[in-house]
mmCIF file of all heavy atoms in Angstrom:
data_model
loop_
_atom_site.group_PDB
_atom_site.id
_atom_site.type_symbol
_atom_site.label_atom_id
_atom_site.label_comp_id
_atom_site.label_asym_id
_atom_site.label_seq_id
_atom_site.Cartn_x
_atom_site.Cartn_y
_atom_site.Cartn_z
ATOM 1 N N LYS E 305 109.870 134.883 65.872
ATOM 2 C CA LYS E 305 110.513 134.705 64.596
ATOM 3 C C LYS E 305 109.476 134.817 63.475
ATOM 4 O O LYS E 305 108.398 134.353 63.684
ATOM 5 C CB LYS E 305 111.219 133.366 64.445
ATOM 6 C CG LYS E 305 112.509 133.161 65.317
ATOM 7 C CD LYS E 305 113.118 131.850 65.156
ATOM 8 C CE LYS E 305 114.320 131.674 66.081
ATOM 9 N NZ LYS E 305 114.891 130.333 65.897
ATOM 10 N N LEU E 306 109.802 135.477 62.358
ATOM 11 C CA LEU E 306 108.901 135.555 61.342
ATOM 12 C C LEU E 306 109.283 134.468 60.270
ATOM 13 O O LEU E 306 110.521 134.331 59.891
ATOM 14 C CB LEU E 306 108.940 136.943 60.670
ATOM 15 C CG LEU E 306 107.700 137.517 60.003
ATOM 16 C CD1 LEU E 306 106.591 137.567 61.015
ATOM 17 C CD2 LEU E 306 107.969 138.930 59.420
ATOM 18 N N HIS E 307 108.369 133.790 59.690
ATOM 19 C CA HIS E 307 108.636 132.707 58.708
ATOM 20 C C HIS E 307 108.020 133.095 57.413
ATOM 21 O O HIS E 307 106.875 133.350 57.332
ATOM 22 C CB HIS E 307 107.984 131.347 59.195
ATOM 23 C CG HIS E 307 108.609 130.873 60.473
ATOM 24 N ND1 HIS E 307 109.664 130.072 60.536
ATOM 25 C CD2 HIS E 307 108.234 131.243 61.749
ATOM 26 C CE1 HIS E 307 110.013 129.827 61.911
ATOM 27 N NE2 HIS E 307 109.216 130.515 62.638
ATOM 28 N N THR E 308 108.802 133.185 56.374
ATOM 29 C CA THR E 308 108.404 133.703 55.072
ATOM 30 C C THR E 308 108.429 132.646 53.955
ATOM 31 O O THR E 308 108.031 132.988 52.841
ATOM 32 C CB THR E 308 109.262 134.868 54.586
ATOM 33 O OG1 THR E 308 110.724 134.412 54.652
ATOM 34 C CG2 THR E 308 109.234 135.986 55.608
ATOM 35 N N SER E 309 108.712 131.448 54.168
ATOM 36 C CA SER E 309 108.642 130.404 53.216
ATOM 37 C C SER E 309 107.169 130.095 52.901
ATOM 38 O O SER E 309 106.357 130.206 53.714
ATOM 39 C CB SER E 309 109.379 129.132 53.639
ATOM 40 O OG SER E 309 108.756 128.628 54.811
ATOM 41 N N PRO E 310 106.895 129.740 51.660
ATOM 42 C CA PRO E 310 105.474 129.432 51.261
ATOM 43 C C PRO E 310 104.865 128.316 52.152
ATOM 44 O O PRO E 310 105.644 127.353 52.500
ATOM 45 C CB PRO E 310 105.590 129.059 49.812
ATOM 46 C CG PRO E 310 106.846 129.595 49.306
ATOM 47 C CD PRO E 310 107.807 129.584 50.465
ATOM 48 N N CYS E 311 103.601 128.383 52.469
ATOM 49 C CA CYS E 311 102.982 127.429 53.331
ATOM 50 C C CYS E 311 102.330 126.410 52.401
ATOM 51 O O CYS E 311 101.860 126.797 51.263
ATOM 52 C CB CYS E 311 101.948 128.073 54.246
ATOM 53 S SG CYS E 311 101.136 126.961 55.334
ATOM 54 N N ALA E 312 102.166 125.203 52.831
ATOM 55 C CA ALA E 312 101.587 124.109 51.989
ATOM 56 C C ALA E 312 100.079 124.382 51.757
ATOM 57 O O ALA E 312 99.413 123.828 50.844
ATOM 58 C CB ALA E 312 101.736 122.715 52.730
ATOM 59 N N CYS E 313 99.536 125.260 52.561
ATOM 60 C CA CYS E 313 98.010 125.589 52.372
ATOM 61 C C CYS E 313 97.844 126.476 51.218
ATOM 62 O O CYS E 313 96.695 126.733 50.743
ATOM 63 C CB CYS E 313 97.489 126.230 53.621
ATOM 64 S SG CYS E 313 98.015 127.987 53.902
ATOM 65 N N GLY E 314 98.876 127.006 50.561
ATOM 66 C CA GLY E 314 98.778 127.865 49.477
ATOM 67 C C GLY E 314 98.868 129.430 49.722
ATOM 68 O O GLY E 314 98.966 130.179 48.734
ATOM 69 N N LYS E 315 98.882 129.778 50.970
ATOM 70 C CA LYS E 315 98.973 131.195 51.293
ATOM 71 C C LYS E 315 100.485 131.583 51.208
ATOM 72 O O LYS E 315 101.390 130.871 51.587
ATOM 73 C CB LYS E 315 98.460 131.475 52.694
ATOM 74 C CG LYS E 315 97.061 131.253 52.878
ATOM 75 C CD LYS E 315 96.625 131.655 54.309
ATOM 76 C CE LYS E 315 95.190 131.201 54.581
ATOM 77 N NZ LYS E 315 95.174 129.748 54.861
ATOM 78 N N ASN E 316 100.788 132.746 50.733
ATOM 79 C CA ASN E 316 102.113 133.270 50.624
ATOM 80 C C ASN E 316 102.354 134.358 51.697
ATOM 81 O O ASN E 316 103.365 135.110 51.542
ATOM 82 C CB ASN E 316 102.340 133.868 49.223
ATOM 83 C CG ASN E 316 102.413 132.796 48.186
ATOM 84 O OD1 ASN E 316 102.948 131.705 48.393
ATOM 85 N ND2 ASN E 316 101.807 133.125 46.964
ATOM 86 N N THR E 317 101.454 134.501 52.640
ATOM 87 C CA THR E 317 101.757 135.486 53.692
ATOM 88 C C THR E 317 102.715 135.021 54.710
ATOM 89 O O THR E 317 102.964 133.787 55.031
ATOM 90 C CB THR E 317 100.386 135.769 54.438
ATOM 91 O OG1 THR E 317 99.831 134.414 54.826
ATOM 92 C CG2 THR E 317 99.387 136.418 53.529
ATOM 93 N N PRO E 318 103.511 136.016 55.282
ATOM 94 C CA PRO E 318 104.443 135.674 56.333
ATOM 95 C C PRO E 318 103.707 135.072 57.538
ATOM 96 O O PRO E 318 102.481 135.292 57.750
ATOM 97 C CB PRO E 318 105.014 137.014 56.748
ATOM 98 C CG PRO E 318 104.789 137.925 55.686
ATOM 99 C CD PRO E 318 103.490 137.474 55.077
ATOM 100 N N ARG E 319 104.354 134.228 58.342
ATOM 101 C CA ARG E 319 103.726 133.570 59.489
ATOM 102 C C ARG E 319 104.537 133.909 60.781
ATOM 103 O O ARG E 319 105.798 133.899 60.779
ATOM 104 C CB ARG E 319 103.676 132.068 59.342
ATOM 105 C CG ARG E 319 102.857 131.658 58.083
ATOM 106 C CD ARG E 319 102.844 130.131 57.859
ATOM 107 N NE ARG E 319 104.107 129.489 57.960
ATOM 108 C CZ ARG E 319 105.039 129.491 56.901
ATOM 109 N NH1 ARG E 319 104.729 130.147 55.813
ATOM 110 N NH2 ARG E 319 106.170 128.884 57.057
ATOM 111 N N VAL E 320 103.834 134.252 61.823
ATOM 112 C CA VAL E 320 104.483 134.555 63.170
ATOM 113 C C VAL E 320 104.629 133.246 63.844
ATOM 114 O O VAL E 320 103.641 132.536 64.089
ATOM 115 C CB VAL E 320 103.579 135.541 63.919
ATOM 116 C CG1 VAL E 320 104.198 135.693 65.285
ATOM 117 C CG2 VAL E 320 103.596 136.927 63.189
ATOM 118 N N GLY E 321 105.903 132.946 64.284
ATOM 119 C CA GLY E 321 106.135 131.768 64.995
ATOM 120 C C GLY E 321 105.678 131.900 66.436
ATOM 121 O O GLY E 321 105.272 132.962 66.836
ATOM 122 N N PRO E 322 105.745 130.780 67.215
ATOM 123 C CA PRO E 322 105.430 130.833 68.664
ATOM 124 C C PRO E 322 106.170 131.898 69.359
ATOM 125 O O PRO E 322 107.386 132.163 69.140
ATOM 126 C CB PRO E 322 105.913 129.459 69.151
ATOM 127 C CG PRO E 322 105.950 128.543 67.977
ATOM 128 C CD PRO E 322 106.325 129.485 66.824
ATOM 129 N N VAL E 323 105.502 132.626 70.302
ATOM 130 C CA VAL E 323 106.161 133.621 71.087
ATOM 131 C C VAL E 323 107.134 133.042 71.979
ATOM 132 O O VAL E 323 106.785 132.153 72.770
ATOM 133 C CB VAL E 323 105.062 134.455 71.840
ATOM 134 C CG1 VAL E 323 105.772 135.423 72.835
ATOM 135 C CG2 VAL E 323 104.080 135.169 70.927
ATOM 136 N N ILE E 324 108.374 133.493 71.920
ATOM 137 C CA ILE E 324 109.467 132.969 72.727
ATOM 138 C C ILE E 324 109.278 133.520 74.152
ATOM 139 O O ILE E 324 109.520 132.876 75.170
ATOM 140 C CB ILE E 324 110.819 133.395 72.117
ATOM 141 C CG1 ILE E 324 111.056 132.772 70.753
ATOM 142 C CG2 ILE E 324 111.915 133.025 73.121
ATOM 143 C CD1 ILE E 324 112.231 133.365 70.031
ATOM 144 N N GLY E 325 108.818 134.745 74.284
ATOM 145 C CA GLY E 325 108.560 135.402 75.560
ATOM 146 C C GLY E 325 108.342 136.821 75.332
ATOM 147 O O GLY E 325 108.505 137.445 74.317
ATOM 148 N N ARG E 326 107.945 137.530 76.487
ATOM 149 C CA ARG E 326 107.811 139.022 76.523
ATOM 150 C C ARG E 326 109.168 139.575 76.752
ATOM 151 O O ARG E 326 109.919 139.088 77.648
ATOM 152 C CB ARG E 326 106.944 139.448 77.615
ATOM 153 C CG ARG E 326 105.366 139.087 77.344
ATOM 154 C CD ARG E 326 104.807 140.079 76.318
ATOM 155 N NE ARG E 326 103.402 139.833 76.084
ATOM 156 C CZ ARG E 326 102.414 140.380 76.684
ATOM 157 N NH1 ARG E 326 102.720 141.268 77.614
ATOM 158 N NH2 ARG E 326 101.209 140.131 76.324
ATOM 159 N N LYS E 327 109.518 140.617 75.983
ATOM 160 C CA LYS E 327 110.858 141.261 76.186
ATOM 161 C C LYS E 327 111.128 141.613 77.608
ATOM 162 O O LYS E 327 112.203 141.389 78.159
ATOM 163 C CB LYS E 327 111.047 142.411 75.184
ATOM 164 C CG LYS E 327 112.381 143.005 75.135
ATOM 165 C CD LYS E 327 112.477 144.056 74.097
ATOM 166 C CE LYS E 327 113.884 144.648 74.035
ATOM 167 N NZ LYS E 327 114.071 145.618 72.973
ATOM 168 N N GLN E 328 110.149 142.202 78.241
ATOM 169 C CA GLN E 328 110.300 142.721 79.625
ATOM 170 C C GLN E 328 110.346 141.596 80.602
ATOM 171 O O GLN E 328 110.716 141.789 81.819
ATOM 172 C CB GLN E 328 109.159 143.675 79.977
ATOM 173 C CG GLN E 328 109.373 145.077 79.291
ATOM 174 C CD GLN E 328 108.222 145.992 79.747
ATOM 175 O OE1 GLN E 328 107.427 146.411 78.924
ATOM 176 N NE2 GLN E 328 108.158 146.369 81.030
ATOM 177 N N HIS E 329 109.905 140.422 80.195
ATOM 178 C CA HIS E 329 109.937 139.199 81.106
ATOM 179 C C HIS E 329 111.209 138.408 80.984
ATOM 180 O O HIS E 329 111.284 137.341 81.588
ATOM 181 C CB HIS E 329 108.713 138.378 80.813
ATOM 182 C CG HIS E 329 107.397 138.966 81.278
ATOM 183 N ND1 HIS E 329 106.192 138.439 80.949
ATOM 184 C CD2 HIS E 329 107.178 140.094 82.012
ATOM 185 C CE1 HIS E 329 105.228 139.243 81.470
ATOM 186 N NE2 HIS E 329 105.811 140.213 82.127
ATOM 187 N N MET E 330 112.114 138.803 80.163
ATOM 188 C CA MET E 330 113.381 138.016 80.042
ATOM 189 C C MET E 330 114.055 137.920 81.313
ATOM 190 O O MET E 330 114.241 138.863 82.148
ATOM 191 C CB MET E 330 114.297 138.697 78.966
ATOM 192 C CG MET E 330 115.535 137.824 78.675
ATOM 193 S SD MET E 330 116.711 138.661 77.485
ATOM 194 C CE MET E 330 117.475 139.665 78.660
ATOM 195 N N ILE E 331 114.570 136.686 81.633
ATOM 196 C CA ILE E 331 115.220 136.469 82.911
ATOM 197 C C ILE E 331 116.642 136.003 82.686
ATOM 198 O O ILE E 331 116.837 135.060 81.827
ATOM 199 C CB ILE E 331 114.410 135.317 83.745
ATOM 200 C CG1 ILE E 331 112.979 135.700 83.869
ATOM 201 C CG2 ILE E 331 115.081 135.086 85.044
ATOM 202 C CD1 ILE E 331 112.061 134.552 84.079
ATOM 203 N N LYS E 332 117.601 136.574 83.378
ATOM 204 C CA LYS E 332 118.928 136.017 83.397
ATOM 205 C C LYS E 332 119.275 135.373 84.716
ATOM 206 O O LYS E 332 119.377 136.003 85.681
ATOM 207 C CB LYS E 332 120.038 137.259 83.088
ATOM 208 C CG LYS E 332 119.893 137.838 81.720
ATOM 209 C CD LYS E 332 120.462 136.904 80.661
ATOM 210 C CE LYS E 332 121.948 136.968 80.609
ATOM 211 N NZ LYS E 332 122.494 136.169 79.405
#
Side-chain angles (χ1 to χ4, degrees):
K305 289 181 184 176
L306 211 57
H307 299 265
T308 55
S309 58
C311 183
C313 73
K315 297 187 191 71
N316 289 322
T317 51
R319 302 180 308 283
V320 173
V323 175
I324 297 167
R326 290 284 182 94
K327 186 173 183 178
Q328 286 181 245
H329 289 171
M330 187 183 80
I331 305 155
K332 290 290 280 186

